[in-house]
Amino acid sequence: MKPEDRVEGRHPMEEFLRMDRMPHIWCSGCGIGIVVTSFIEALQKSGLDPNKVCVCSGIGCTGRVAGYVKLDSFHTTHGRPVPFATGLKLANPELKVVVFSGDGDIVGIGGNHFIHAARRNMDIVVICVNNFNYAMTGGQVAATTPIGANLSTAPYGNFEYPFNLPYLAEACGATYVARWTCLHIRRVTKSIQEALQKRGFSFIEVITPCVTLYARRNRLGDGLNLLRYYYENSEIRHGADTRTLDIGYQGKIIVGKFVDIEKPTFLDCMNNHLRKVLGDKYQPWGVKS
Amino acid sequence: MNVRKKSADPKGVLTGVHYLDGDYAIAEGALAAGCRFFAGYPITPSTETAERFAERIPMVGGVFIQMEDEIASVAALIGASWAGLKAMTVTSGPGFSLMMENIGLACMMEVPIVIADVQRGGPSTGLPTLTGQGDMQQVKWGSHGDYEIIALSPDSPQECFDLTIKAFNLSEMFRVPVFIMTDECVGHMHEKVVIPPAEEIEIVERKWYEGPKDKYLPYKPDVDLVPFMVKAGDGYRFHTTGLTHDERGYPVINAECQDWCVRHLCDKIRLNADKIIEYKEDETDNAEIVVVSYGITSRVAWKAIQDARKAGIKVGSLRLITIWPFPDKRIEELAGKIKAFVVPEINLGQIKREVERAAKGKVPVYPVSHCGGWVHNPDNILKVIKEAAK
């Protein structure tokens, strides 16, 4: 009997993983894999048909998620998974489309797409793994780097104001906004499940350690140290005013579910508006008759 | 070729005789071809296509979305195409530059999409409202790396309609982005456009895979080199990436796979070039001079050709409809029989360069260049024809 034929030799999530692509490229101590585990568990619990769930990633460490999940999965260009997801979703509204990418991808180079998809209330889930730096390219300063952190393109420490992502998402119109550290495994899973089961633009930020670059350059210990540090320095404050969620260097991280509202999606608005204006001439799109 | 054809869906076909500009005709061609997804960003002189599509699609059934920029527009097209819809956008120079990133992705992922470039004078913001033909090389080379695309050039609103349908058909046939390289003059020129009944319009269906689910390989070339396609949501759970990939669509980062992957992208167009290339000839049999032209310039050149014939010069016309892949073979054949080529175009010799390359030094190639802002004065083309005939 080969190891993969034994029940105990199989990965419990292998139905959702491309086992023929393992081992993955992530460093030991990296938090991305934990978020993938949470995502798959959330997907299993959501009751959604996995054949109707798509994952779109951009470029970067988290951008590799699309390559490992066994779903219709799209590894797109840098910063563009959100508009790519927009096209997928609008062309086939039956699909549940998830953008799974990093902070550099989603709010750095892809920031414009992110704010517009949130503004339109595009019915997609955006999972943003925030490791405070551009890791795939070797640890450069990012739009999320806390002031004072040292990175290869901020060799004397970062002096730029970073984004407060939940505030940005809420201000742009997101209907679901949460932030966790990746060690809040059950809470991340629950948030992703809620987002998957919700209609509207959902945004979940997950703080993860980048052990090889961010932690090493700033002498913050190994992955496990930093995982614990983020977890222990977080404070759960559901419904907190998103304006108060800035993250300082090795400072307190406010986590929780901040926004969970109902609002018609882009397609709802399009169908409702055009039906009202055009009457029976209008051919509704993506509405089950 | 492994091609399945059907007639057009009558819902999108506005059968009748119309008076339309080229931009509108592109929108009607797209709707007739079955395009049901348009993502775009306004830019002069192409916006009318987006406006027409936005006005018409609610009654046909489909999606129009104005995106935040041209980068997002092409990203959305690729997503929509993977979801199974025919998708297009339209733009002009500055927007075309922004699109280059995801045009590369569409080539790499082998996704059928259609993009119309209503050219204006460049570079940069250039001449927003005035004509140009300066993007003819950009369309071929604008994204990084080696790849092949198909580009067509209409010379009238009627051809804008006809070639947009052809663009969709070629795009589905070869799983490749196809470009309609028109210009401000043709885009804003109003002429008679005849839209035939739906049953007379031939539509190429996508090469849908129908084998067992677990055997599907998104990048395994078929006999005609074009791989079969599936769409998102059908349970294939496929992966696709902009990275160099193998038949499974999985990234493989080494020189061997790069060689296989990139040669495949180029070969499926290069080796099928004869099935793609279309041009129109007039009196090339006994010609001493052949004028090679395309788009609006071919209509201006026609006056010069007639004047030259009146002056006793044996002039033929080779009007390019397909620009890329370039009709190398025909140019070389003609080069063996004639005295010279004359290439008028609204740029500083972008297609003249190709004619020269294809003619392999057998005969001289005379450019008639123009930086844009207006079409040529036919007399300037005539002057060069006369000089070439000396």
Side-chain angles (χ1 to χ4, degrees):
Chain A
M1 193 184 258
K2 283 183 275 179
E4 60 268 28
D5 295 333
R6 289 199 306 267
V7 175
E8 66 272 24
R10 283 195 218 130
H11 191 285
M13 286 178 171
E14 72 174 32
E15 192 203 331
F16 296 96
L17 292 171
R18 297 187 190 278
M19 298 306 285
D20 49 353
R21 290 216 55 217
M22 297 298 153
H24 57 69
I25 62 159
W26 296 314
C27 309
S28 36
C30 171
I32 299 170
I34 309 176
V35 191
V36 174
T37 303
S38 292
F39 166 70
I40 291 172
E41 202 183 327
L43 180 59
Q44 287 171 315
K45 286 180 172 169
S46 71
L48 293 171
D49 175 0
N51 288 341
K52 301 287 180 197
V53 179
C54 299
V55 169
C56 305
S57 296
I59 300 300
C61 293
T62 316
R64 293 303 183 104
V65 169
Y68 298 129
V69 292
K70 201 168 172 186
L71 299 165
D72 288 336
S73 55
F74 304 89
H75 185 212
T76 72
T77 40
H78 196 20
R80 321 303 173 205
V82 168
F84 191 101
T86 296
L88 260 180
K89 176 68 191 176
L90 293 181
N92 182 358
E94 273 188 18
L95 300 173
K96 178 55 83 172
V97 184
V98 180
V99 170
F100 208 136
S101 216
D103 52 303
D105 196 67
I106 290 174
V107 297
I109 189 168
N112 194 32
H113 310 308
F114 175 76
I115 63 174
H116 283 278
R119 172 182 65 79
R120 298 182 180 110
N121 196 21
M122 197 53 65
D123 183 13
I124 58 174
V125 177
V126 177
I127 301 169
C128 178
V129 174
N130 180 2
N131 58 12
F132 302 128
N133 75 135
Y134 283 89
M136 184 65 97
T137 42
Q140 288 79 37
V141 70
T144 48
T145 306
I147 291 177
N150 189 299
L151 287 157
S152 72
T153 48
Y156 308 107
N158 175 41
F159 50 81
E160 277 188 40
Y161 302 109
F163 264 137
N164 165 350
L165 298 183
Y167 181 33
L168 178 68
E170 184 184 18
C172 296
T175 56
Y176 186 98
V177 179
R179 174 200 275 163
W180 301 105
T181 80
C182 65
L183 211 52
H184 290 92
I185 295 172
R186 275 173 301 147
R187 295 179 189 274
V188 173
T189 306
K190 189 171 172 230
S191 269
I192 297 176
Q193 189 188 337
E194 284 176 355
L196 286 172
Q197 290 167 331
K198 195 180 167 71
R199 298 178 79 248
F201 188 88
S202 300
F203 176 70
I204 300 159
E205 177 186 13
V206 188
I207 308 292
T208 65
C210 168
V211 54
T212 305
L213 298 153
Y214 187 84
R216 192 166 57 179
R217 199 167 174 105
N218 288 287
R219 301 177 195 280
L220 302 175
D222 62 19
L224 196 57
N225 283 334
L226 204 52
L227 270 175
R228 279 211 191 100
Y229 183 87
Y230 289 154
Y231 183 76
E232 283 161 8
N233 278 275
S234 64
E235 184 187 317
I236 300 175
R237 226 188 276 166
H238 291 300
D241 183 340
T242 55
R243 286 174 297 182
T244 65
L245 303 180
D246 281 323
I247 300 176
Y249 179 62
Q250 293 301 87
K252 180 169 279 183
I253 301 172
I254 308 297
V255 296
K257 179 167 84 175
F258 310 117
V259 177
D260 190 357
I261 58 166
E262 299 299 325
K263 198 166 84 173
T265 65
F266 174 89
L267 273 180
D268 295 336
C269 295
M270 180 179 109
N271 280 319
N272 293 341
H273 180 78
L274 293 176
R275 198 182 286 120
K276 203 164 76 187
V277 176
L278 298 169
D280 291 342
K281 281 189 292 179
Y282 179 56
Q283 303 289 315
W285 184 251
V287 181
K288 276 185 191 156
S289 48
Chain B
M1 291 298 293
N2 193 340
V3 180
R4 266 185 292 178
K5 292 177 181 172
K6 58 174 185 183
S7 59
D9 172 5
K11 268 195 288 181
V13 186
L14 204 65
T15 304
V17 180
H18 305 269
Y19 185 59
L20 296 177
D21 73 6
D23 284 357
Y24 274 14
I26 289 172
E28 289 304 331
L31 289 164
C35 174
R36 297 294 179 263
F37 186 92
F38 190 112
Y41 188 85
I43 186 166
T44 305
S46 74
T47 314
E48 290 86 342
T49 305
E51 290 170 343
R52 177 86 172 191
F53 201 93
E55 198 181 317
R56 291 260 289 124
I57 195 68
M59 274 71 79
V60 175
V63 177
F64 170 86
I65 182 168
Q66 185 168 311
M67 297 299 288
E68 52 274 15
D69 59 30
E70 289 88 347
I71 302 171
S73 301
V74 180
L77 296 193
I78 302 172
S81 189
W82 272 120
L85 291 192
K86 289 184 179 175
M88 92 164 298
T89 191
V90 66
T91 193
S92 191
F96 203 41
S97 292
L98 285 184
M99 287 180 179
M100 289 303 151
E101 174 191 69
N102 286 321
I103 286 169
L105 182 67
C107 290
M108 196 61 150
M109 285 185 166
E110 299 190 58
V111 183
I113 57 169
V114 171
I115 298 174
D117 177 11
V118 187
Q119 295 171 88
R120 64 195 223 184
S124 191
T125 316
L127 301 170
T129 57
L130 300 178
T131 202
Q133 292 183 313
D135 308 347
M136 302 309 294
Q137 291 285 354
Q138 183 187 19
V139 66
K140 173 77 172 71
W141 306 104
S143 201
H144 52 280
D146 284 307
Y147 60 95
E148 290 284 345
I149 50 87
I150 297 172
L152 311 173
S153 175
D155 77 342
S156 65
Q158 181 68 55
E159 262 195 8
C160 284
F161 176 83
D162 297 339
L163 293 186
T164 301
I165 295 173
K166 187 183 166 88
F168 275 99
N169 286 347
L170 288 169
S171 175
E172 297 293 339
M173 226 184 284
F174 293 99
R175 277 185 70 171
V176 75
V178 179
F179 299 85
I180 301 152
M181 299 303 289
T182 178
D183 69 280
E184 187 275 333
C185 271
V186 173
H188 286 162
M189 170 197 293
H190 280 75
E191 281 184 342
K192 184 167 92 169
V193 175
V194 180
I195 300 183
E199 61 271 20
E200 288 172 24
I201 299 173
E202 201 170 71
I203 301 298
V204 174
E205 274 198 84
R206 194 166 291 184
K207 279 184 70 173
W208 297 117
Y209 172 79
E210 282 164 346
K213 284 209 162 142
D214 56 334
K215 294 279 185 296
Y216 178 62
L217 293 167
Y219 295 101
K220 187 182 183 346
D222 186 22
V223 282
D224 60 8
L225 301 180
V226 184
F228 285 95
M229 211 164 166
V230 296
K231 59 179 188 288
D234 280 357
Y236 290 92
R237 304 219 202 157
F238 63 94
H239 179 62
T240 179
T241 174
L243 288 167
T244 295
H245 49 263
D246 61 15
E247 290 185 339
R248 298 170 299 173
Y250 287 4
V252 178
I253 309 303
N254 63 39
E256 289 75 23
C257 190
Q258 170 76 355
D259 188 85
W260 175 83
C261 180
V262 175
R263 282 188 199 283
H264 162 69
L265 297 181
C266 294
D267 283 352
K268 75 173 175 181
I269 303 301
R270 289 179 188 175
L271 301 179
N272 285 312
D274 288 346
K275 301 180 189 95
I276 300 167
I277 291 169
E278 187 185 344
Y279 44 77
K280 288 203 171 131
E281 292 189 40
D282 187 84
E283 294 188 25
T284 45
D285 283 352
N286 302 308
E288 286 189 339
I289 308 295
V290 167
V291 175
V292 181
S293 62
Y294 54 93
I296 188 62
T297 307
S298 61
R299 293 180 67 163
V300 179
W302 187 239
K303 166 85 167 94
I305 291 166
Q306 285 173 314
D307 289 347
R309 284 174 186 169
K310 276 180 211 155
I313 304 170
K314 287 180 179 167
V315 191
S317 164
L318 178 68
R319 178 161 81 83
L320 307 180
I321 290 172
T322 314
I323 305 292
W324 305 109
F326 196 73
D328 287 23
K329 249 190 243 170
R330 187 59 189 143
I331 297 282
E332 197 186 347
E333 280 164 16
L334 288 170
K337 299 194 280 192
I338 64 171
K339 212 164 136 187
F341 287 107
V342 172
V343 187
E345 52 187 336
I346 310 175
N347 59 52
L348 295 187
Q350 296 191 12
I351 294 301
K352 175 240 171 192
R353 227 181 138 90
E354 296 306 309
V355 176
E356 240 168 16
R357 179 184 56 75
K360 297 183 175 164
K362 289 181 188 166
V363 287
V365 181
Y366 292 81
V368 192
S369 57
H370 188 313
C371 288
W374 196 226
V375 295
H376 292 77
N377 178 337
D379 292 345
N380 293 340
I381 302 174
L382 179 64
K383 210 162 75 187
V384 179
I385 294 173
K386 283 181 174 167
E387 195 190 315
K390 266 182 207 161

